[in-house]
């Protein structure tokens, strides 16, 4: 395949991905998978990603003390994850 053919195929795939909303789901999955890298080792040991749905990331926390601490850090964590992804895909984090 020629270079132009690959470029055309890439453009077509980009259009299809955006048209069917797959790009948002891919970015949500990236937010989910980036949790441990964004929060670091200490927090990743006491937390577990549960799911992401409609821009809300659900995180299970080992105890209420850590939950309270993470609630204070929530705006910064959301900002870091969105910056890493390159778009405002994450709207909220729910700690359970």
């Amino acid at each position: 395949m020629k270079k132009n053919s690959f470029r055309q195929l890439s453009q077509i795939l980009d259009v299809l991905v955006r048209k069917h909303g797959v790009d948002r789901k891919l970015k949500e999955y990236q937010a989910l998978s980036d949790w441990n890298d964004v929060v670091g080792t200490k927090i990743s040991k006491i937390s577990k990603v549960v799911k992401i749905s409609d821009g809300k990331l659900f995180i299970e926390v080992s105890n209420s003390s850590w939950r309270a601490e993470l609630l204070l850090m929530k705006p910064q964590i959301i900002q870091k994850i969105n910056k890493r992804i390159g778009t405002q895909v994450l709207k909220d984090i729910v700690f359970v």
Side-chain angles (χ1 to χ4, degrees):
M1 227 182 224
K2 293 182 179 180
K3 195 173 187 178
N4 285 339
S5 296
F6 281 121
R7 188 174 299 131
Q8 289 173 335
L9 180 59
S10 175
Q11 291 171 342
I12 291 168
L13 287 174
D14 285 344
V15 169
L16 288 173
V17 163
R18 276 186 259 116
K19 181 179 178 182
H20 294 287
V22 176
D23 61 333
R24 179 136 183 103
K25 287 292 181 192
L26 289 172
K27 289 177 191 228
E28 282 186 344
Y29 178 76
Q30 184 180 349
L32 192 143
S33 64
D34 285 352
W35 173 258
N36 290 341
D37 290 337
V38 169
V39 298
T41 307
K42 188 175 184 179
I43 294 173
S44 64
K45 286 182 180 179
I46 57 89
S47 63
K48 177 183 162 191
V49 175
V50 177
K51 68 177 181 174
I52 190 164
S53 179
D54 295 324
K56 285 186 180 181
L57 182 60
F58 293 82
I59 303 292
E60 187 177 294
V61 183
S62 64
N63 61 57
S64 60
S65 299
W66 270 110
R67 183 181 178 276
E69 186 72 25
L70 288 172
L71 282 170
L72 295 173
M73 298 169 62
K74 181 166 57 168
Q76 292 86 4
I77 295 171
I78 291 171
Q79 183 181 18
K80 282 182 181 181
I81 290 174
N82 284 334
K83 184 177 180 179
R84 188 173 174 131
I85 294 169
T87 187
Q88 298 295 112
V89 72
L90 188 59
K91 299 173 189 165
D92 194 14
I93 302 174
V94 178
F95 297 105
V96 292

